[in-house]
C-alpha cells in the first residue's frame, strides 16, 4: 500500500487487494481556488468524501470512472472494502458545523482510517467499535475547524493505531490560518520526524505495538 498527501485532508491510497490489479482511492480533494494550494492531476477508482465543504469535496478535480462514496454504509469496490461511519464536525453533535463520514478502508490485510474533519474530542463506544483494529490513522490536527494538536493526540489514544499521519494543518500559501503539525507531535510526546514523500507499507511492517507518527510532504 502506498499513501500520499496533497494538502488539507486530501489523501491518495494505492493498493493491490487481489489479482485484478491496482486500486486507487482518493479521499477529500480540495478546491484549489478556495484553499489556496495547488492540486495535481489525480485519477481514482474510488473517491471518498467525508463532508460537503469546498476544501474536501472537489469532485471536478478528479479524473477517472470512479465510484463515489459520500455517506455512511458498507462498500466493496474491486476487492477493496470501505466502511462509512457517522461522526461530527464539532463537539456539539453537529450543531456548529454539521456531520461528517469517517472511513475505514480494508485492503492488503491493512486497515486505514480517514477521520475527515472530525471535531469530536470523545468518540462514542459505537464509533470506537467500528474503528477497532485501525493500523493507519489519518487525523486532522490544525484546530479552528477541527481537532487541535492536544485533542487529536487524545483521539489517537482512543483508537490506538500503529501509525498516525497528521493532516489538515497549515501549509504556506493557504488562505486559512491553522496550527502547524508541531503542536500535535509535541502532544504525542514524539520527536519531529523527517517528512517523506510517500509511505509504502505492508502488514509485515507493523511489528511494534507502539504508535508511530509519520509526517508526509504535501
Amino acid at each position: 500500500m502506498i499513501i500520499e498527501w496533497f494538502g488539507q485532508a486530501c489523501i491518495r491510497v494505492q493498493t493491490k487487494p487481489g489479482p485484478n490489479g491496482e486500486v486507487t482511492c482518493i479521499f477529500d480533494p480540495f478546491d484549489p481556488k478556495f484553499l489556496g494550494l495547488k492540486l495535481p492531476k489525480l485519477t481514482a477508482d474510488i473517491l471518498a468524501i467525508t463532508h460537503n465543504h469546498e476544501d474536501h469535496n472537489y469532485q471536478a478535480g478528479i479524473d477517472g470512472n470512479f465510484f463515489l462514496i459520500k455517506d455512511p454504509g458498507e462498500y466493496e469496490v474491486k476487492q477493496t472494502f470501505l466502511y462509512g461511519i457517522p461522526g461530527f464536525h464539532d463537539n456539539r453533535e453537529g450543531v456548529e458545523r454539521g456531520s461528517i463520514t469517517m472511513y475505514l478502508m480494508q485492503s492488503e490485510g491493512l486497515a486505514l482510517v480517514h477521520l475527515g474533519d472530525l471535531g469530536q474530542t470523545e468518540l462514542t463506544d459505537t464509533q470506537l467499535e467500528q474503528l477497532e483494529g485501525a493500523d493507519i490513522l489519518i487525523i486532522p490536527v490544525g484546530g479552528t475547524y477541527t481537532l487541535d494538536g492536544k485533542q487529536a493526540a487524545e483521539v489517537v489514544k482512543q483508537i490506538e493505531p500503529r501509525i498516525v499521519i497528521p493532516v489538515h494543518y497549515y501549509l504556506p500559501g493557504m488562505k486559512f490560518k491553522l496550527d502547524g503539525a508541531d503542536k500535535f507531535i509535541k502532544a504525542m510526546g514524539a520527536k519531529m520526524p523527517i517528512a517523506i514523500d510517500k509511505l509504502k507499507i505492508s502488514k509485515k511492517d507493523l511489528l511494534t505495538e507502539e504508535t508511530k507518527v509519520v509526517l508526509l510532504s504535501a
Side-chain angles (χ1 to χ4, degrees):
M1 182 179 288
I2 301 174
I3 304 166
E4 296 169 277
W5 179 51
F6 298 99
Q8 205 68 337
C10 184
I11 290 283
R12 176 168 64 188
V13 180
Q14 294 171 291
T15 181
K16 292 182 180 179
N20 295 328
E22 187 175 275
V23 175
T24 299
C25 181
I26 305 290
F27 294 91
D28 279 8
F30 56 82
D31 184 339
K33 292 181 180 179
F34 179 79
L35 190 62
L37 299 178
K38 293 181 179 180
L39 184 69
K41 198 85 167 177
L42 298 173
T43 302
D45 299 296
I46 305 168
L47 174 58
I49 291 176
T50 62
H51 64 296
N52 197 32
H53 286 174
E54 290 174 286
D55 54 337
H56 293 261
N57 69 350
Y58 191 53
Q59 297 181 42
I62 306 301
D63 289 338
N65 185 25
F66 53 77
F67 184 88
L68 177 63
I69 304 174
K70 299 174 68 175
D71 301 301
E74 298 183 9
Y75 307 89
E76 180 184 357
V77 184
K78 297 181 178 179
Q79 295 181 283
T80 301
F81 297 87
L82 279 91
Y83 302 87
I85 301 161
F88 296 110
H89 201 325
D90 54 62
N91 226 359
R92 297 181 59 200
E93 297 186 343
V95 171
E96 296 176 4
R97 290 186 288 274
S99 60
I100 63 165
T101 301
M102 304 177 285
Y103 291 106
L104 170 65
M105 175 182 177
Q106 292 181 331
S107 182
E108 297 185 48
L110 293 167
L112 177 145
V113 169
H114 192 299
L115 294 180
D117 261 10
L118 182 70
Q120 291 175 252
T121 54
E122 189 74 31
L123 295 173
T124 67
D125 290 342
T126 299
Q127 289 169 329
L128 287 172
E129 286 175 9
Q130 293 173 303
L131 296 171
E132 187 176 5
D135 297 305
I136 303 156
L137 178 65
I138 296 164
I139 188 168
V141 303
T144 307
Y145 307 104
T146 182
L147 301 173
D148 63 26
K150 289 184 178 180
Q151 293 169 337
E154 289 302 315
V155 171
V156 170
K157 290 179 183 178
Q158 295 170 50
I159 298 176
E160 298 183 327
R162 302 287 188 87
I163 291 174
V164 59
I165 300 173
V167 298
H168 206 285
Y169 56 83
Y170 182 75
L171 293 172
M174 285 179 61
K175 294 182 179 180
F176 305 98
K177 185 61 180 175
L178 301 174
D179 292 336
D182 56 318
K183 292 185 178 180
F184 168 72
I185 293 167
K186 182 179 179 181
M188 288 289 295
K191 294 182 179 180
M192 180 64 77
I194 297 173
I196 57 177
D197 290 337
K198 61 184 70 174
L199 175 64
K200 296 181 180 180
I201 190 166
S202 63
K203 189 69 175 179
K204 66 182 181 182
D205 296 321
L206 302 175
L207 300 177
T208 177
E209 295 293 331
E210 296 180 359
T211 297
K212 178 182 178 182
V213 178
V214 173
L215 204 60
L216 294 179
S217 299

